[in-house]
Amino acid sequence: MVKFLPLKQAVAENLNNGDSVAFEGFTHLIPTAAAHEAIRQGFRDLTLIRMTPDLIYDQMIGMGMAKKIIFSYLGNPGVGLLRRARDAIENGYPRALDVEEHSHAGMANAYEAGAAGLPCAVFRGYRGAGLATVNPNIKSVACPFTGEVLAAVPSIRPDVTFIHAQKADRKGNIMVEGIIGIQKEAVLAAKRAVVTVEEVVDNFDDLHPNLTVLPRWTIAAISVVPGGSHPSYAHGYYARDNAAYLEWDEIAADREKFQAWMQANVIEKSADDFAARVAHLRKAA
């Protein structure tokens, strides 16, 4: 049964050392507050899964939390490299990092297969691409009906998925609108799901029908964290903080500067800090 919990408790009860974990968000609604809480609690040996790893995975990798990353794009969107991730891959600092790279189509199909309880995803893809030569989890299979050669990848079924959303109702149902990427499938594929939200409302009766609702039985815990996706944006609440992405490139380029920034802005902060971070980004009512 879904629980409404403080974020510190929700993370502690649902994430464990050695877990495979997805902090999903596709430019929009990135669960930054949840990732920062995981960093504060010092989890280790995680397999980080995400279609588009950006700042939060750079931070988690830089703090030595990850043993492996499964992804389909690795970069600071609109800026360039993830420098802490690159340092781990190229130099083993602060620890060696195993890498499993896919295409967006491969990851999306793998999440959908996981949500359906299937062992693998079969789709048209990877033709003419070189990823299969460096990723042994990309296979080829022949369709038993047509003989067509198709790509196959293992399904993605995280131990726990974290997402950010706009609203929860008091029963524990979750409402997401705007660009949702693969969040829905990532929740349905996971053994456990934790959602941070901007606010709790009585119900969704007066909302636009063109939105996604995740029913309460798909969620383990909900935490109310206004601003919890900063520096990404939350449709209808606040804009993307583009300056923060530009600043991160300089911060992450230096190991000592990175550690100092993490200490001051993550380790010594809390989830309550996020509302203040987006005050200047909030849209006028």
Side-chain angles (χ1 to χ4, degrees), residues 84-136:
R84 292 300 89 224
R86 181 170 183 171
D87 204 6
I89 293 167
E90 292 186 348
N91 304 310
Y93 182 89
R95 61 174 294 179
L97 183 68
D98 290 336
V99 172
E100 182 177 329
E101 184 176 2
H102 289 275
S103 66
H104 279 347
M107 288 283 287
N109 278 278
Y111 269 125
E112 288 186 346
L118 297 171
C120 69
V122 177
F123 61 102
R124 292 187 178 96
Y126 295 116
R127 295 177 181 177
L131 278 176
T133 64
V134 296
N135 182 351

Side-chain angles (χ1 to χ4, degrees), residues 214-232:
L214 291 166
R216 58 186 176 180
W217 55 265
T218 65
I219 310 299
I222 297 168
S223 299
V224 181
V225 187
S229 69
H230 178 267
S232 73

Side-chain angles (χ1 to χ4, degrees), residues 107-224:
M107 288 283 287
N109 278 278
Y111 269 125
E112 288 186 346
L118 297 171
C120 69
V122 177
F123 61 102
R124 292 187 178 96
Y126 295 116
R127 295 177 181 177
L131 278 176
T133 64
V134 296
N135 182 351
N137 278 332
I138 299 172
K139 306 289 187 183
S140 295
V141 297
C143 173
F145 304 104
T146 67
E148 181 181 3
V149 177
L150 301 168
V153 295
S155 62
I156 293 177
R157 305 194 73 178
D159 292 309
V160 56
T161 288
F162 291 87
I163 66 168
H164 188 73
Q166 282 99 341
K167 293 179 172 70
D169 69 15
R170 301 195 186 281
K171 294 179 180 179
N173 302 300
I174 298 295
M175 188 219 78
V176 189
E177 61 179 339
I179 297 171
I180 63 168
I182 204 70
Q183 284 99 307
K184 177 183 70 174
E185 291 80 4
V187 165
L188 297 177
K191 296 175 184 176
R192 304 176 298 280
V194 176
V195 184
T196 53
V197 296
E198 293 293 323
E199 63 176 324
V200 176
V201 298
D202 289 334
N203 55 61
F204 302 146
D205 291 349
D206 61 343
L207 298 175
H208 193 281
N210 187 22
L211 49 78
T212 297
V213 175
L214 291 166
R216 58 186 176 180
W217 55 265
T218 65
I219 310 299
I222 297 168
S223 299
V224 181

